[in-house]
Amino acid sequence: LLRKFGVHLVVIVRNATNDDCSQIAALGGELHRISSLSPMDYDEAKTATSIASFIDQGQFVQVMDDGLICGYLIGAAFPSWFGYDLIATDFAWYVSPGHKGSGALRMMRSFIKWCKAKGVKQIRPGVSTGDKRAVEIYKRLGFSTAGENLLMTL
């Protein structure tokens, strides 16, 4: 439960619907501004369309909802480029600052469960914000480091 202005709000973690895409995309702008992707453009309408496509393809899109979307996790599973085993990644996992700790872990645990049910062999998430706390959360969930992410801005 969250306490806002003396009112308890229940945060529900649920599968996203196409009706949620514009709210997720708006919240996505917050993540974009603090990530290493921030020098690149961000188009909210294109983002909403991409999210709808993930939903329509049966990929993983969950939201935290307390009346408004306050967090989301977007992930996908696909065959590796070198074989047939499935690999998964989270494209975006974000919770607005006032809602940290209220459902983020439930979304990631749900994503892991979804990946297991799909037969995924590896989940390969990333942290584009440089947030060491996020890395520690992944490790507590059983993830380990595997290489380094590098960047060259052109």
Side-chain angles (χ1 to χ4, degrees):
L1 296 180
L2 291 175
R3 182 177 285 278
K4 277 190 177 178
F5 309 109
V7 177
H8 290 284
L9 298 175
V10 176
V11 175
I12 298 167
V13 173
R14 62 174 175 78
N15 291 333
T17 68
N18 285 328
D19 291 337
D20 299 319
C21 294
S22 61
Q23 280 190 66
I24 298 168
L27 196 57
E30 291 181 21
L31 174 59
H32 181 76
R33 281 187 291 281
I34 63 170
S35 79
S36 60
L37 299 168
S38 63
M40 299 180 69
D41 68 329
Y42 185 82
D43 185 289
E44 202 170 294
K46 182 182 187 313
T47 302
T49 300
S50 296
I51 294 165
S53 179
F54 279 123
I55 292 169
D56 293 344
Q57 293 171 24
Q59 297 294 356
F60 187 90
V61 184
Q62 275 196 343
V63 295
M64 288 172 40
D65 183 344
D66 71 354
L68 293 173
I69 303 302
C70 54
Y72 60 88
L73 194 157
I74 301 169
F78 43 87
S80 68
W81 65 272
F82 51 83
Y84 300 100
D85 285 338
L86 293 179
I87 192 166
T89 192
D90 64 336
F91 290 106
W93 182 25
Y94 180 73
V95 177
S96 60
H99 293 81
K100 301 263 186 219
S102 58
L105 290 176
R106 281 186 283 164
M107 287 190 298
M108 183 52 75
R109 286 185 182 114
S110 184
F111 179 56
I112 294 167
K113 183 178 177 180
W114 179 84
C115 288
K116 287 178 181 177
K118 291 246 180 233
V120 168
K121 297 283 182 167
Q122 290 186 348
I123 305 171
R124 295 181 153 267
V127 177
S128 64
T129 60
D131 184 350
K132 301 294 184 200
R133 183 173 170 257
V135 174
E136 290 308 312
I137 290 169
Y138 279 118
K139 287 181 177 180
R140 280 193 307 237
L141 288 167
F143 290 89
S144 58
T145 55
E148 297 270 340
N149 286 325
L150 302 171
L151 168 69
M152 176 190 283
T153 301
L154 302 175

